[in-house]
Amino acid sequence: MIRNLLIPFALGASLWAQQAPVPAPPKPPADPAPPIVKHQEITLNGKVLKYTSTTGLMPIRNGSGEIEATIFYMAYTLDGVPDTKKRRLMFSFNGGPGSASVWLHMGALGPKRVRMMDNGALPPAPYQLETNPATWLDETDLVFIDPVGTGYSRATKPELNKKFSSVKGDIESVGEFIRLYLGRNSRWLSPLFLVGESYGTTRAAGLSGHLIEKGIALNGVLLISTVLNFQTLSFDQGNDLPYELFLPTYTATAWYHKKLPADLQQKDLKTVLHEAEQWAAGGYAQVLGRGDLLTAEERTAAAKQLARFTGLPQKYVEQSDLRVEIMKFIRELRRDENVTAGRLDSRLTGPSPREATDSAEFDPSMTAIRPPYTAAFNYYVRTELGYESDLDYFILGGGIARWNWGDENRYADVSESLRSAFAKNPHMKLYVGAGYYDLATPYFAAGYTLNHMKLPAGAKDNIRMHYYEAGHMYYIDVTPLAALKRDAASFIRWAAQ
């Protein structure tokens, strides 16, 4: 009976629902606040350079028009340019993955630079900013991009972090930012460039193939401290390639710290490296390939050579099965002095852990840069760019989810995307720069990858390679900083012809 009494009420409610007006679909979220625009100037080589800085957030929408993320950017455009179609435009980002664009921005390319010691070592606090004498702003407009999960860039919902924390999602979102920036600033016909460092080179190579499919052809791509194929860096069981490709950088490091035998130590660096490269790609590669088939005599002879080119004790390399992983190398090289070499820059050193461990406690080359860049950027973005936020600016780590490499039981590799871009855009030019003391992305590994890409005929004529006696971030050293500016300026002019 009670159930029968409820039937008319249910029918009435159903009829009311059918007659009620259908609510309009919600409007897509509005764009973030307008960017902050400032007019500024610096004096460069005795000439006043006037420019406009634009700092803000770019919304990244899905196919339904919903904002899924906002990407923070800082752009510098030269004032007084009569025709922006002829003015070059460069998009810049760093690596990690999970790193903001602060390193290239305030170390090499931007109008202001963090003051370090001349060799790139940690200066005493308080830290300082200075006009960058090697800024690229006289050659090209600059847009510094913080990918989602870095800097002030954020996904709008926590569950979306997974989408952007992947090789594919990262490339697609940065590619969408570039498309939007070109449209909103009427720069579609400008000569276009990308510059990336470390994992930023992975992103840049991936973007070169992604953007050409979107109708965006690049004049040039600059890769600073390169990794395209992660098999070259991954010290995994059964993957002997990194041991071969890291060896010349081990040799450079041992030479710098005066740990090589006297006959090698007295030679210049490039001569020593040539010998190390020849053995690494020849005899050492053959030794690694033979594995357990090595005779006792062959093993002893190989250990002697490996000790010779690394500065490590022969007994240690024998006990390491002729395979010395990077963190063990930087710990062992100067163990007797309780000193650890840096990974990003193996010239820099720090104290070893008190325990008799086989790996370093920290990277002294990372601890040299993080405090000054963190402090200087947080001051600069508020006071000079005029952008204020209480958000934590994620300089390196803290904002991304576990990275999805999309490798599907193989090593992540974007070299094919770069090869495809060369095939579809034969006018594209490529700069590859490397530091001899970089143990994060060794120079020999970068060369190996380029030599195994099966590039189209003529593509190698479009590639310029440059080497610097410095580490991963070779621009924090004032001498390579000046060399980088000369090399980059020459490359940019060549690629924009």
Side-chain angles (χ1 to χ4, degrees):
M1 185 68 180
I2 294 175
R3 182 168 51 183
N4 291 337
L5 288 174
L6 290 175
I7 289 175
F9 175 80
L11 288 174
S14 176
L15 290 173
W16 178 85
Q18 293 174 13
Q19 296 169 2
V22 178
K27 295 180 179 179
D31 282 6
I36 305 298
V37 177
K38 294 273 190 178
H39 298 287
Q40 307 191 53
E41 64 180 49
I42 58 171
T43 300
L44 189 65
N45 300 321
K47 180 182 178 181
V48 175
L49 204 65
K50 295 185 177 183
Y51 62 94
T52 298
S53 66
T54 304
T55 310
L57 296 168
M58 183 78 77
I60 303 300
R61 301 178 187 272
N62 61 20
S64 301
E66 299 169 326
I67 297 178
E68 293 191 327
T70 52
I71 290 183
F72 182 70
Y73 70 98
M74 296 147 284
Y76 302 99
T77 54
L78 195 65
D79 292 345
V81 175
D83 186 0
T84 57
K85 295 192 299 297
K86 297 180 181 179
R87 176 67 176 164
R88 305 156 193 146
L89 178 64
M90 180 177 290
F91 297 95
S92 173
F93 31 75
N94 275 86
S99 173
S101 62
V102 64
W103 315 106
L104 283 177
H105 178 189
M106 305 197 71
L109 279 63
K112 295 296 179 70
R113 182 174 183 269
V114 178
R115 181 180 295 176
M116 303 287 290
M117 302 299 284
D118 283 353
N119 68 347
L122 176 70
Y127 306 116
Q128 299 180 51
L129 282 169
E130 60 187 3
T131 296
N132 182 8
T135 180
W136 296 10
L137 187 55
D138 56 339
E139 297 291 338
T140 177
D141 290 341
L142 299 163
V143 183
F144 296 95
I145 304 170
D146 287 343
V148 179
T150 74
Y152 291 136
S153 302
R154 300 287 193 273
T156 55
K157 299 176 183 178
E159 58 267 26
L160 289 171
N161 283 326
K162 184 177 179 181
K163 174 179 179 178
F164 297 107
S165 297
S166 67
V167 175
K168 183 175 183 289
D170 176 81
I171 288 172
E172 289 178 347
S173 60
V174 175
E176 176 64 1
F177 172 93
I178 290 172
R179 184 192 71 82
L180 289 168
Y181 186 91
L182 295 178
R184 292 187 176 201
N185 295 275
S186 301
R187 298 300 297 268
W188 278 94
L189 296 182
S190 296
L192 300 178
F193 293 82
L194 299 180
V195 58
E197 177 188 291
S198 195
Y199 184 82
T201 67
T202 310
R203 181 182 295 118
L207 278 168
S208 67
H210 174 79
L211 291 175
I212 192 70
E213 291 297 312
K214 301 290 185 180
I216 301 173
L218 301 169
N219 290 76
V221 177
L222 296 94
L223 306 180
I224 294 176
S225 302
T226 310
V227 54
L228 306 182
N229 180 353
F230 282 79
Q231 184 181 4
T232 64
L233 304 188
S234 303
F235 290 92
D236 298 326
Q237 181 68 34
N239 180 32
D240 284 333
L241 192 57
Y243 298 102
E244 168 192 339
L245 301 180
F246 273 71
L247 178 62
T249 305
Y250 289 171
T251 302
T253 304
W255 179 89
Y256 180 84
H257 291 283
K258 296 181 171 51
K259 291 294 184 179
L260 293 180
D263 65 309
L264 288 179
Q265 196 65 58
Q266 65 187 5
K267 298 178 182 179
D268 66 272
L269 176 61
K270 291 183 181 179
T271 300
V272 173
L273 288 180
H274 178 71
E275 293 184 29
E277 291 167 7
Q278 293 295 107
W279 188 69
Y284 188 38
Q286 293 173 9
V287 165
L288 294 175
R290 281 177 53 76
D292 292 341
L293 296 178
L294 285 175
T295 65
E297 293 76 13
E298 289 172 331
R299 184 177 294 275
T300 299
K304 185 177 181 180
Q305 278 289 81
L306 187 55
R308 171 177 168 79
F309 283 117
T310 61
L312 300 178
Q314 182 174 332
K315 184 177 180 63
Y316 180 82
V317 298
E318 287 177 346
Q319 293 174 337
S320 301
D321 193 28
L322 308 177
R323 294 162 174 83
V324 181
E325 182 264 343
I326 174 182
M327 300 309 291
K328 294 181 178 180
F329 171 79
I330 62 176
R331 174 74 171 95
E332 193 65 29
L333 182 66
R334 295 181 61 179
R335 178 185 286 272
D336 58 343
E337 304 167 71
N338 293 318
V339 168
T340 295
R343 173 175 171 266
L344 295 179
D345 189 331
S346 61
R347 299 172 302 168
L348 302 180
T349 60
S352 294
R354 297 172 65 181
E355 299 81 6
T357 60
D358 63 354
S359 60
E361 180 182 0
F362 63 93
D363 179 2
S365 52
M366 172 56 76
T367 57
I369 58 176
R370 189 158 189 161
Y373 275 78
T374 300
F377 177 84
N378 277 284
Y379 171 84
Y380 173 75
V381 73
R382 290 169 173 80
T383 60
E384 298 199 26
L385 298 185
Y387 188 90
E388 297 187 6
S389 174
D390 287 334
L391 286 177
D392 187 0
Y393 186 82
F394 291 132
I395 278 191
L396 183 60
I400 64 170
R402 182 176 181 178
W403 201 256
N404 178 2
W405 294 95
D407 42 23
E408 298 175 355
N409 203 32
R410 60 185 177 84
Y411 293 100
D413 184 1
V414 294
S415 62
E416 171 58 22
S417 185
L418 183 60
R419 185 211 62 80
S420 177
F422 267 120
K424 295 169 184 174
N425 179 13
H427 306 290
M428 187 178 76
K429 306 295 194 297
L430 180 69
Y431 160 101
V432 180
Y436 287 130
Y437 301 111
D438 176 8
L439 279 169
T441 57
Y443 78 93
F444 202 47
Y448 176 92
T449 301
L450 289 173
N451 291 332
H452 289 78
M453 282 175 54
K454 298 182 180 179
L455 290 168
K460 287 190 176 181
D461 294 334
N462 289 352
I463 300 175
R464 290 183 177 179
M465 296 194 68
H466 296 274
Y467 302 97
Y468 306 90
E469 291 192 29
H472 187 70
M473 303 161 70
Y474 43 82
Y475 46 82
I476 65 174
D477 185 316
V478 294
T479 300
L481 173 68
L484 171 60
K485 172 58 187 290
R486 291 193 299 270
D487 296 338
S490 174
F491 174 83
I492 291 167
R493 295 167 192 169
W494 173 54
Q497 290 177 350

